[in-house]
Amino acid sequence: MSGSLRKKTGAVVTWLLTFILMLIICLPGLWVVLTAFRPNGEVLAKPPIWIPQNPNLDNFAKIFGLGANQVAIPVSSYFMNSLIIALTSTAIALLIGMSGGYAFARYRFKFKNGMFLGMMLSRTVPGIALSLPIFMIWSRLGLIDTKMGLIIVYVALNIPFTIWLIDGFFRQIPKEMSEAAQVDGCTRWQAFWKIEFPLAKSGIASAGIFAFLTSWNEYALASNLTRSTDSKTLPVGLMDFTAQFTIDWAGMSAMAVIIIVPALILTFLVQKHLIAGLTFGGVKG
Amino acid sequence: MATKPPWFWQREKYTPYLLLLPAVLTLLFVVLVPLLFSFYTSFTGYRLIRPESLWEWVGLRNYRRIFADGDFWSAFGKTIIFLTIALNVEFLLGLGIALLINKITWGQRTLRTIMMFPMMFSPILVGYQFKFVFNDNIGILNNALQSLGLSDGAIPWLVDKYLANFSIIFAEVWMSTSVFAILLLAGLFAMPRDPLEAAKVDGCNPWQVFRHITLPFLMPFVFIAMTIRSLDVARAYDIVDVMTGGGPAGRTELLWTLIARTGYDNARMGQANAMAYISILLSIAFTYYFFTKLLAARQYMGGAE
């Protein structure tokens, strides 16, 4: 009797704790989302208005340049830039990562451990430390303010982690499967595409989501290597809302929603692969 | 008819090198060459506004100045403290969340998705979000405290020396705890059931089970998370830069904000690159430390792998 009562209290405490934690996790983001739908006067109101009194889409219309009071911020071109840069760099990083990860998982070769450690260490260089020399070299090469310039940088940023994860996934797949396929007359290349790639697909997808999020959210390098609407990305565009002493909180919140939503949708779509992906990719070396 | 001997890149022996070539080339071009270049400029008096100063060799002057520079060492110390506090708090909270969610059987998928919510935020966005939340005038936190009658004035969260550091660490922890939580949850899912059952049969209490079975099994996952996080430490730059810009009066200055200020605002690239080198050594030290811990933890687990 007392045992089942204790079990029940335990369950209630667990749920209560979880609820509070989830609230803390969600509340700051939720506040920003709510603000995106408020008129500016309500944002600055004292005493605060907790629940939006007349929620509307004015802030979104404003930053997209529709409606009466416009903010001259080219959100649509930032969005396109971000999308092109993040998708392209993710695709390239995955191709390079698959090729490298396959090499680490399936072959024995000289300098293997050294190369692996070197690749990992290349990721320890903070982006901000890298931004100074890259800026100087990119300006010589004419890569400043181009999408290509950022894509190259993001591919390099994502390679180490991508290789590491994908290496882990290929290790999960028994070597014998592709060997059997080769005995049956497949070339190594065909064996890869028909056997190993489909099996590692969900793992590669979770490596892809990490690469996409890194590129989509990166700011320090993008802010140094971009100048105009040719290449500015959404995180850099966020800065357009700050004047010397004031910040347009409502407009910025609307922009924040625009940045978050694609990331949210994508993560939601692959989230069931994510945990499995991390279990295998990360720990089994 | 004799078949033509394969080209050297078609030989099996060279395949792994060929497969790794794109990765190596990209990293050489984007990481190593810029690093060598910045290593060179750290020995020059290079200033952005005077391009010819790139050839002005000053030997170890930049490094000597750094060693005598109180601001640099104060930022260095604050960075270490910041990292230590943030990593430990993130680990403890992440562990708590993972254990809680692991216990819950109903609605777990939804909770997992909610838990990962902050991971999707751009660090710069996290910076603005918390600049907004901690705003002394219109911020939700001060408004809430005042509405609840817990405080009657505006608390200067981002201006006071201690509160500003607290606010920044809070933002960093909010953003990154889910990385720990998700990795530890993955660890809990991968855990074999038998040792747990056996321990319960032997009469271990829940704390003993946790201390002697669950925790040792999770340690490799902890170190993986620590390694990943210490690889990503530079992301804290965005948050600090946005929330306080290193202020008030340098009280929240970390290495990366100091380097950016020296390099771009004061245009002293040579000096900034010298600082960057020292900060890279710090990052490498953190990563190497956690990597050796990871290998040791794997060794300890032995057959469990």
Side-chain angles (χ1 to χ4, degrees):
Chain A
M1 181 65 204
S2 77
S4 85
L5 193 72
R6 233 177 57 192
K7 235 179 195 167
K8 261 192 190 137
T9 351
V12 170
V13 170
T14 309
W15 270 104
L16 210 65
L17 267 175
T18 316
F19 180 74
I20 294 171
L21 275 170
M22 293 296 147
L23 204 66
I24 295 174
I25 288 173
C26 288
L27 214 54
L30 221 57
W31 188 244
V32 171
V33 173
L34 278 185
T35 306
F37 296 97
R38 293 167 187 271
N40 210 5
E42 219 175 84
V43 177
L44 304 171
K46 254 312 167 171
I49 300 165
W50 295 106
I51 314 285
Q53 293 303 308
N54 42 14
N56 55 54
L57 292 170
D58 285 359
N59 294 319
F60 293 93
K62 205 167 71 178
I63 60 175
F64 276 109
L66 311 162
N69 49 348
Q70 301 185 1
V71 175
I73 292 170
V75 176
S76 337
S77 52
Y78 294 164
F79 190 86
M80 281 317 288
N81 287 341
S82 264
L83 207 61
I84 293 170
I85 291 171
L87 286 178
T88 317
S89 64
T90 301
I92 301 175
L94 278 184
L95 282 178
I96 295 181
M98 267 159 64
S99 145
Y102 190 80
F104 278 125
R106 283 289 187 262
Y107 293 91
R108 296 155 72 88
F109 51 95
K110 263 190 192 165
F111 313 118
K112 186 170 168 173
N113 287 330
M115 271 169 108
F116 195 77
L117 193 66
M119 254 170 218
M120 281 299 129
L121 285 180
S122 79
R123 192 67 189 85
T124 62
V125 183
I128 185 67
L130 217 51
S131 83
L132 309 163
I134 286 182
F135 177 82
M136 293 187 256
I137 297 173
W138 263 219
S139 60
R140 288 280 162 95
L141 297 174
L143 284 170
I144 298 287
D145 202 20
T146 61
K147 293 185 195 68
M148 184 53 79
L150 271 189
I151 290 173
I152 295 173
V153 172
Y154 289 167
V155 167
L157 279 190
N158 281 316
I159 281 179
F161 195 52
T162 313
I163 286 189
W164 185 27
L165 277 177
I166 294 180
D167 166 43
F169 294 117
F170 282 135
R171 271 166 208 267
Q172 285 295 107
I173 302 163
K175 245 183 181 165
E176 291 74 25
M177 297 184 76
S178 89
E179 280 166 7
Q182 285 178 63
V183 170
D184 290 346
C186 283
T187 62
R188 185 147 198 166
W189 179 246
Q190 285 168 331
F192 172 78
W193 275 114
K194 288 191 179 141
I195 311 280
E196 288 166 311
F197 178 70
L199 284 171
K201 217 161 53 184
S202 74
I204 292 166
S206 62
I209 200 80
F210 279 103
F212 179 85
L213 287 179
T214 309
S215 312
W216 183 259
N217 290 334
E218 205 279 338
Y219 167 73
L221 288 162
S223 75
N224 281 317
L225 300 177
T226 60
R227 289 280 171 277
S228 71
T229 50
D230 288 346
S231 66
K232 265 197 187 183
T233 56
L234 285 169
V236 184
L238 207 56
M239 280 295 182
D240 291 358
F241 290 96
T242 59
Q244 179 94 43
F245 298 110
T246 57
I247 295 177
D248 174 6
W249 291 114
M252 191 176 250
S253 300
M255 179 101 158
V257 171
I258 293 170
I259 300 180
I260 297 166
V261 165
L264 213 68
I265 294 174
L266 216 64
T267 316
F268 189 75
L269 287 179
V270 294
Q271 80 97 17
K272 73 167 185 230
H273 300 301
L274 218 58
I275 286 192
L278 288 166
T279 327
F280 302 131
V283 176
K284 304 213 169 175
Chain B
M1 204 172 95
T3 48
K4 227 167 48 175
W7 293 94
F8 82 93
W9 64 77
Q10 287 176 329
R11 286 179 206 155
E12 186 81 10
K13 199 167 99 178
Y14 295 108
T15 317
Y17 299 105
L18 209 64
L19 286 171
L20 277 167
L21 196 65
V24 171
L25 283 182
T26 318
L27 289 178
L28 280 184
F29 183 58
V30 184
V31 181
L32 199 65
V33 170
L35 275 185
L36 290 176
F37 184 66
S38 77
F39 190 59
Y40 163 76
T41 60
S42 73
F43 296 102
T44 68
Y46 186 46
R47 283 161 169 271
L48 269 187
I49 35 172
R50 292 192 303 120
E52 76 281 2
S53 62
L54 183 54
W55 315 111
E56 191 182 284
W57 184 265
V58 296
L60 286 171
R61 195 183 72 191
N62 287 326
Y63 289 94
R64 270 203 305 274
R65 276 196 189 153
I66 290 174
F67 276 98
D69 183 357
D71 288 347
F72 177 80
W73 291 108
S74 131
F76 190 87
K78 272 187 294 225
T79 307
I80 292 180
I81 295 173
F82 174 85
L83 272 178
T84 314
I85 296 180
L87 283 175
N88 281 304
V89 173
E90 283 165 19
F91 160 56
L92 289 175
L93 281 178
L95 182 63
I97 294 177
L99 288 172
L100 274 178
I101 292 188
N102 193 41
K103 253 184 142 182
I104 286 169
T105 44
W106 184 81
Q108 204 194 55
R109 274 192 61 165
T110 318
L111 287 177
R112 252 155 50 190
T113 313
I114 297 176
M115 176 190 89
M116 291 190 298
F117 185 52
M119 271 170 73
M120 294 147 219
F121 277 64
S122 167
I124 183 130
L125 207 55
V126 176
Y128 274 110
Q129 177 182 308
F130 281 99
K131 196 181 171 116
F132 186 39
V133 166
F134 285 116
N135 186 294
D136 49 7
N137 199 16
I138 57 162
I140 181 178
L141 188 62
N142 271 352
N143 279 340
L145 289 177
Q146 283 166 25
S147 295
L148 294 171
L150 293 173
S151 122
D152 42 354
I155 300 171
W157 291 104
L158 295 171
V159 182
D160 180 81
K161 160 182 174 187
Y162 297 107
L163 290 179
N165 278 305
F166 166 81
S167 308
I168 287 174
I169 290 180
F170 187 91
E172 171 69 21
V173 167
W174 182 86
M175 179 176 76
S176 304
T177 295
S178 47
V179 176
F180 278 82
I182 192 180
L183 279 165
L184 295 179
L185 196 60
L188 287 172
F189 285 167
M191 219 169 128
R193 296 270 153 242
D194 306 356
L196 288 176
E197 303 294 330
K200 273 183 196 145
V201 170
D202 290 349
C204 286
N205 63 37
W207 165 251
Q208 285 168 329
V209 173
F210 173 74
R211 176 71 192 79
H212 296 290
I213 298 175
T214 313
L215 200 59
F217 184 85
L218 281 182
M219 274 336 257
F221 292 86
V222 174
F223 291 123
I224 280 281
M226 294 270 189
T227 314
I228 291 176
R229 288 291 304 132
S230 59
L231 290 173
D232 280 348
V233 281
R235 290 172 17 141
Y237 165 80
D238 301 349
I239 292 183
V240 180
D241 190 44
V242 166
M243 284 177 73
T244 64
R251 292 278 162 64
T252 55
E253 190 91 281
L254 298 183
L255 276 177
W256 309 291
T257 55
L258 182 68
I259 291 167
R261 200 181 326 290
T262 314
Y264 289 110
D265 298 351
N266 304 337
R268 298 153 66 98
M269 279 288 178
Q271 179 89 11
N273 280 334
M275 288 178 175
Y277 259 90
I278 298 182
S279 87
I280 290 170
L281 290 182
L282 185 69
S283 294
I284 291 180
F286 262 82
T287 310
Y288 183 78
Y289 174 75
F290 289 125
F291 201 69
T292 50
K293 284 274 197 187
L294 170 68
L295 292 182
R298 268 186 191 159
Q299 209 105 62
Y300 174 79
M301 291 201 356
E305 263 268 40

